[in-house]
Amino acid sequence: MTMQPYTPPLDNGSSITSIHNSGNTTSNNNNDNLIDLSDSENTQQEGQPQPSPQAVPQVPTQAPHPEATRHASIHVDVNPSEQYQQSHRPFDFHVFLSHLRKKSADPLVRYIRSFLSSYIRQGYTFSAEQRIKIIIDFKQFMNDKFAMYEPFASMDDIDLENSREGLEKLVMNRLYDQCFPPEVVKTNPQFMPDSYTRDLILDKEFETTLEKFSWINGTHLDIDLDELGTDSTNFLDHAINELNKINQYRAPRDKIICILNACKIIFSFLKSTNKETNADAFVPLLILVIFKAKTSNLISNIHYIENFRGEEWVNRGETSYYLSSIQGAIGFIKNLGVDELTITNEEYDAHMEAWEAERKQREVEIKINQTDKTDSGGDGLLVQPQPQHIPSTPMRSADYSQQGLSPSSVLFSSAEMLGKSISNFLSPSATPPSQDQQQSQAVVPAVSQNMIDEFQNLPDNQEYQPPPPPENEINHQQLSEAYDTLREVFPNLDKNILKDIIYLNRGDVDVCIDACLQLVADE
Amino acid sequence: MSAPATSRFAQFKLVLLGESAVGKSSIVHRFVKNTFDELRESTIGAAFLTQTITIPETDTTIKFEIWDTAGQERYKSLAPMYYRNANAALCVYDITSRVSFNRAQDWIKELRKQAPEGIVIALVGNKSDLSDNREVELSEVEEYVEQYNSEATGGGSTIIIAECSAKTGDGVLEVFNRIGRALPVEEAINAAGGRARQAGGRRAGGVDLNRPRAQAQQGGSCC
């Protein structure tokens, strides 16, 4: 079963400002042969609190540390200082967080907070594609903002990459419940995008296939475990453990590192037995590990990595190679037949007959279980029908009761729409909306209003902003006059925030002043 | 602003195809260890390796990402996962095994059908040190390629043919040099520059430790 090391504290905006101790830094950039996941735990350091826009503590607290694998009797001849050279240079989440703590980075923290809180409130209404696109857009938005605020603005490429890594981890740790189908089905089952339901079906089908072939061992794949030595079962267990950790981590990077660690153990084992360390030897062992690991929700995990791991890290290089390998191995297992195995037809048929019998037995059991429950639906195997989830915030229940909104009627057409709604918020006074705003309100009237309401309830509520409207819509004279005025009235506000506010409100001084007053009040 | 030496850099994905016993990974191990660069230990395992070569005439450094595949017949269904997005394919046979040559031809057929358009294909006979036991003559390979090219409609680059010996190292570097010269370097450099600008200055495909800033600057300033 999937381990659930984390339960989300879904109280309102209050958690957003909390200060957390969020990781154990690089304290174990040690000789661990495996890629370090240490930055994803938050168990160790009791020391200084780190400011972290609420996401960080969402990582599993009791996740077994990859260090455990050091007890393996397997050694890798990789110089620890070199081990990151290709796909994984050292990533230090704490360094990123400490950069975010700097006063000069305050605007970035606000962007992040604002984005996360709006996503958490609205995300359940997004389609699967929108969930992906909005996050990609936000990463791009933040990438541009990194260039504007210290200490990020003067970073070199390597530190900037660390920052992008940190951002991805921060965001995905927090948005996991909206983006990982096995979690979504628990938190918002009534708002499952179709493709998420499909992922869960694929998970179940794959798990069933693994059950069906649970008798498979090395000889069926021409792996001579005896020849590989007495450590072989030991090594298999370690690789299996690493792969199964994938469900304990929330960030795409951490999940893929579980896969890489499993692969790395396979290679170190091949090396230790003086076998050729090539794909001929690696692929069968990877397949065997997948068979034996029976990882829950493996397909969902792979799709989640594909969807939410930054393109710059996943499309090329070593990570991509091993991701492709596990995808290929999964495909192989899905289509497995007698021809792909070293086995006699008789033995194979006997196994299949046994499986059929077992399957029928299970169906009977399921039917018995289902008759016990009154309202189980047709596809009970996949998603047990859940009682209608009562929305946790009054705001949401108001939505449903008043507007009777179906998910599709409140869908945002794109991330832009999300941005527009936020920009609506930035002009909270009752000024006539611009044409764009009228359009967006026409499409999603209830939600736009709700978003404004919800944002006003936030302690920090003016962060994530869409790219400014096209230049030609803006009268530059007006903008620069508005800027001068605001600088006089609000000398303490960050210049760039002022500029953003002015852009978003098309230089309307009165609206801008309202927005700034809100800002000052918050501070 | 004139570019400093070896300022042009392009990265390509090369997939290795061929039967199990033909020694395709040995060729790569030889290539990776034998060339002027120090051995770059991969972080996970030797099925994925990288190596760079320099093409002096065009002042270009080419980094190969080399993807090994399992050669056993039963795993051939995995191959598409590996050759998608590949820029080059090295189809290896053993000159002492006709069967392996037939298998390499099958790979070429499949690549022409399914691999990305414009993929550079090299058909390479390994174990040239064992020419006493030769079953596949080079002239025969030339004939096959000539015929194949004339039959292949709708473009596709010419297949590179070569023989080498992973054991002695003969001809190995030459294979990669010839592939490097056949690759669309200009296109890759321009595309990388475009992506870099799009992504706010960062280069797609990760940052190469050896040449971080110079590259990004060049990408930003050249167009």
Side-chain angles (χ1 to χ4, degrees):
Chain A
M1 285 269 65
T2 307
M3 281 189 62
Q4 267 307 106
Y6 153 72
T7 28
L10 263 188
D11 56 339
N12 242 343
S14 62
S15 68
I16 287 170
T17 49
S18 56
I19 291 191
H20 294 280
N21 171 24
S22 52
N24 64 351
T25 65
T26 50
S27 58
N28 64 344
N29 267 348
N30 46 30
N31 292 333
D32 195 333
N33 291 324
L34 298 168
I35 292 168
D36 191 4
L37 269 175
S38 62
D39 40 59
S40 66
E41 273 94 17
N42 64 348
T43 47
Q44 324 270 325
Q45 267 190 345
E46 297 303 327
Q48 340 130 269
Q50 301 270 352
S52 63
Q54 92 281 16
V56 186
Q58 309 296 334
V59 296
T61 50
Q62 67 268 42
H65 194 275
E67 266 188 317
T69 50
R70 274 195 294 168
H71 303 306
S73 55
I74 294 162
H75 302 282
V76 191
D77 299 318
V78 178
N79 178 346
S81 66
E82 287 173 4
Q83 66 179 328
Y84 300 106
Q85 271 188 1
Q86 288 185 3
S87 311
H88 289 273
R89 277 174 294 285
F91 163 55
D92 193 325
F93 196 39
H94 266 253
V95 166
F96 170 66
L97 294 176
S98 69
H99 289 151
L100 270 189
R101 280 179 77 190
K102 298 237 160 70
K103 188 83 186 124
S104 55
D106 272 358
L108 298 178
V109 173
R110 294 178 179 213
Y111 288 131
I112 296 169
R113 281 181 187 157
S114 175
F115 171 75
L116 290 175
S117 52
S118 69
Y119 199 106
I120 286 162
R121 277 166 185 71
Q122 303 296 317
Y124 67 96
T125 65
F126 299 158
S127 72
E129 293 72 26
Q130 286 167 338
R131 289 174 208 225
I132 297 166
K133 184 178 186 305
I134 288 169
I135 289 172
I136 290 173
D137 287 354
F138 179 68
K139 284 179 180 172
Q140 184 57 53
F141 169 85
M142 286 299 291
N143 203 28
D144 297 341
K145 294 292 171 194
F146 281 151
M148 293 168 57
Y149 299 100
E150 293 299 341
F152 301 95
S154 53
M155 278 181 183
D156 64 15
D157 284 358
I158 292 175
D159 287 339
L160 261 183
E161 185 175 8
N162 192 68
S163 303
R164 290 195 299 272
E165 282 278 17
L167 179 71
E168 178 180 287
K169 180 163 178 149
L170 192 66
V171 167
M172 292 319 299
N173 271 345
R174 193 68 185 93
L175 301 182
Y176 191 57
D177 296 336
Q178 274 80 14
C179 299
F180 185 60
E183 293 301 319
V184 179
V185 75
K186 289 179 206 157
T187 54
N188 263 315
Q190 72 275 42
F191 287 112
M192 283 285 282
D194 286 349
S195 67
Y196 282 21
T197 307
R198 215 173 313 132
D199 278 357
L200 293 181
I201 292 171
L202 291 175
D203 280 338
K204 280 296 162 210
E205 284 175 357
F206 191 66
E207 284 159 28
T208 305
T209 304
L210 293 179
E211 283 295 318
K212 178 176 159 186
F213 291 107
S214 57
W215 45 268
I216 279 191
N217 59 39
T219 54
H220 300 121
L221 298 166
D222 292 338
I223 302 167
D224 192 341
L225 285 176
D226 290 339
E227 192 194 333
L228 290 175
T230 49
D231 275 349
S232 61
T233 49
N234 197 9
F235 121 81
L236 262 184
D237 288 343
H238 288 299
I240 288 164
N241 284 343
E242 284 305 315
L243 184 59
N244 277 334
K245 283 181 189 168
I246 199 169
N247 282 309
Q248 296 167 23
Y249 293 98
R250 302 161 70 89
R253 178 181 195 275
D254 294 342
K255 283 180 180 289
I256 201 162
I257 284 175
C258 295
I259 295 172
L260 296 183
N261 279 345
C263 294
K264 191 163 192 170
I265 290 173
I266 294 172
F267 273 105
S268 54
F269 181 69
L270 287 171
K271 234 183 212 173
S272 72
T273 54
N274 296 318
K275 288 276 158 193
E276 283 226 71
T277 55
N278 56 20
D280 287 349
F282 163 69
V283 167
L285 283 170
L286 177 64
I287 289 169
L288 187 63
V289 165
I290 294 172
F291 266 122
K292 296 302 173 196
K294 297 186 176 156
T295 313
S296 325
N297 302 115
L298 187 58
I299 311 289
S300 283
N301 273 295
I302 301 288
H303 288 175
Y304 174 82
I305 291 167
E306 291 165 355
N307 291 335
F308 294 104
R309 180 74 177 134
E311 200 187 339
E312 64 179 310
W313 300 297
V314 87
N315 272 359
R316 286 244 162 200
E318 197 167 30
T319 302
S320 177
Y321 179 83
Y322 291 101
L323 189 58
S324 296
S325 295
I326 197 165
Q327 288 164 329
I330 288 169
F332 175 83
I333 291 171
K334 277 181 176 170
N335 298 314
L336 192 61
V338 65
D339 293 340
E340 280 81 35
L341 295 170
T342 304
I343 192 171
T344 63
N345 282 331
E346 290 73 27
E347 195 194 339
Y348 184 85
D349 291 344
H351 282 299
M352 288 299 111
E353 274 170 34
W355 164 250
E356 274 303 306
E358 194 184 330
R359 202 174 56 86
K360 278 180 186 149
Q361 179 63 33
R362 287 186 194 192
E363 274 175 9
V364 170
E365 280 165 17
I366 286 169
K367 270 184 193 148
I368 290 168
N369 284 338
Q370 280 180 345
T371 49
D372 288 346
K373 297 178 191 159
T374 46
D375 61 345
S376 50
D379 55 353
L381 236 184
L382 166 65
V383 183
Q384 269 83 33
Q386 308 257 358
Q388 189 66 8
H389 199 76
I390 295 174
S392 51
T393 64
M395 196 64 72
R396 284 189 199 166
S397 52
D399 288 353
Y400 306 140
S401 56
Q402 286 166 16
Q403 281 98 27
L405 295 177
S406 71
S408 58
S409 73
V410 295
L411 282 185
F412 286 90
S413 61
S414 73
E416 266 170 66
M417 208 60 102
L418 177 69
K420 277 179 187 157
S421 299
I422 295 166
S423 71
N424 285 353
F425 159 70
L426 284 164
S427 50
S429 65
T431 50
S434 72
Q435 207 180 2
D436 277 359
Q437 288 166 327
Q438 275 171 340
Q439 278 170 359
S440 71
Q441 285 179 348
V443 179
V444 285
V447 171
S448 294
Q449 191 55 49
N450 284 335
M451 282 191 71
I452 294 167
D453 293 343
E454 290 195 14
F455 269 80
Q456 280 173 333
N457 290 336
L458 293 176
D460 284 303
N461 48 15
Q462 50 287 316
E463 283 80 31
Y464 175 59
Q465 292 146 10
E471 290 280 322
N472 58 13
E473 285 177 32
I474 297 170
N475 176 336
H476 285 274
Q477 173 90 30
Q478 199 187 349
L479 289 186
S480 99
E481 282 171 12
Y483 179 71
D484 292 339
T485 310
L486 290 177
R487 283 294 290 160
E488 272 179 42
V489 183
F490 303 103
N492 295 329
L493 281 181
D494 187 282
K495 289 179 197 170
N496 287 318
I497 290 186
L498 288 181
K499 283 179 190 161
D500 280 346
I501 290 172
I502 292 165
Y503 260 74
L504 289 161
N505 293 306
R506 277 107 172 136
D508 184 329
V509 177
D510 289 340
V511 182
C512 292
I513 287 177
D514 281 353
C516 291
L517 280 172
Q518 183 86 37
L519 260 177
V520 172
D522 289 332
E523 284 189 352
Chain B
M1 184 164 68
S2 74
T6 65
S7 62
R8 288 153 47 85
F9 175 86
Q11 188 168 319
F12 294 100
K13 170 176 165 181
L14 180 148
V15 64
L16 278 178
L17 297 164
E19 265 200 341
S20 273
V22 299
K24 56 188 186 307
S25 37
S26 306
I27 294 177
V28 171
H29 292 184
R30 173 62 82 167
F31 170 55
V32 169
K33 285 173 190 161
N34 215 20
T35 39
F36 37 87
D37 269 14
E38 82 282 16
L39 169 64
R40 296 189 186 186
E41 180 66 60
S42 60
T43 54
I44 309 294
F48 173 91
L49 293 167
T50 63
Q51 181 60 291
T52 56
I53 60 169
T54 307
I55 298 184
E57 308 94 275
T58 55
D59 193 22
T60 305
T61 302
I62 291 178
K63 180 175 178 181
F64 287 108
E65 278 191 356
I66 304 164
W67 291 43
D68 194 11
T69 63
Q72 299 95 318
E73 180 73 15
R74 72 170 62 146
Y75 300 123
K76 69 169 185 240
S77 67
L78 276 72
M81 298 304 298
Y82 292 95
Y83 62 64
R84 62 180 174 177
N85 304 321
N87 305 104
L90 198 60
C91 298
V92 185
Y93 64 94
D94 171 353
I95 65 160
T96 69
S97 158
R98 173 152 305 279
V99 177
S100 73
F101 179 56
N102 294 339
R103 188 79 192 93
Q105 293 177 34
D106 291 343
W107 281 122
I108 288 173
K109 261 181 227 148
E110 182 174 330
L111 286 172
R112 279 284 163 94
K113 247 187 269 167
Q114 314 217 44
E117 211 173 311
I119 188 170
V120 173
I121 299 175
L123 177 56
V124 175
N126 190 26
K127 306 192 187 176
S128 61
D129 52 301
L130 300 179
S131 58
D132 288 351
N133 302 323
R134 180 188 284 277
E135 282 187 11
V136 184
E137 295 295 334
L138 194 55
S139 58
E140 187 182 354
V141 182
E142 283 164 355
E143 225 167 85
Y144 159 75
V145 168
E146 223 164 87
Q147 195 189 347
Y148 194 90
N149 284 336
S150 66
E151 283 170 8
T153 50
S157 50
T158 320
I159 295 173
I160 295 168
I161 51 176
E163 288 188 356
C164 69
S165 164
K167 193 176 173 191
T168 66
D170 278 352
V172 170
L173 182 55
E174 203 202 333
V175 168
F176 288 90
N177 269 324
R178 287 173 62 193
I179 294 172
R181 280 157 217 265
L183 283 164
V185 171
E186 299 303 325
E187 245 172 73
I189 289 175
N190 291 337
R195 278 198 302 272
R197 280 193 308 283
Q198 227 175 25
R202 77 173 188 220
R203 290 191 300 131
V207 180
D208 188 316
L209 280 174
N210 292 326
R211 21 190 336 96
R213 236 78 42 94
Q215 181 61 23
Q217 278 165 9
Q218 211 213 348
S221 65
C222 67
C223 342

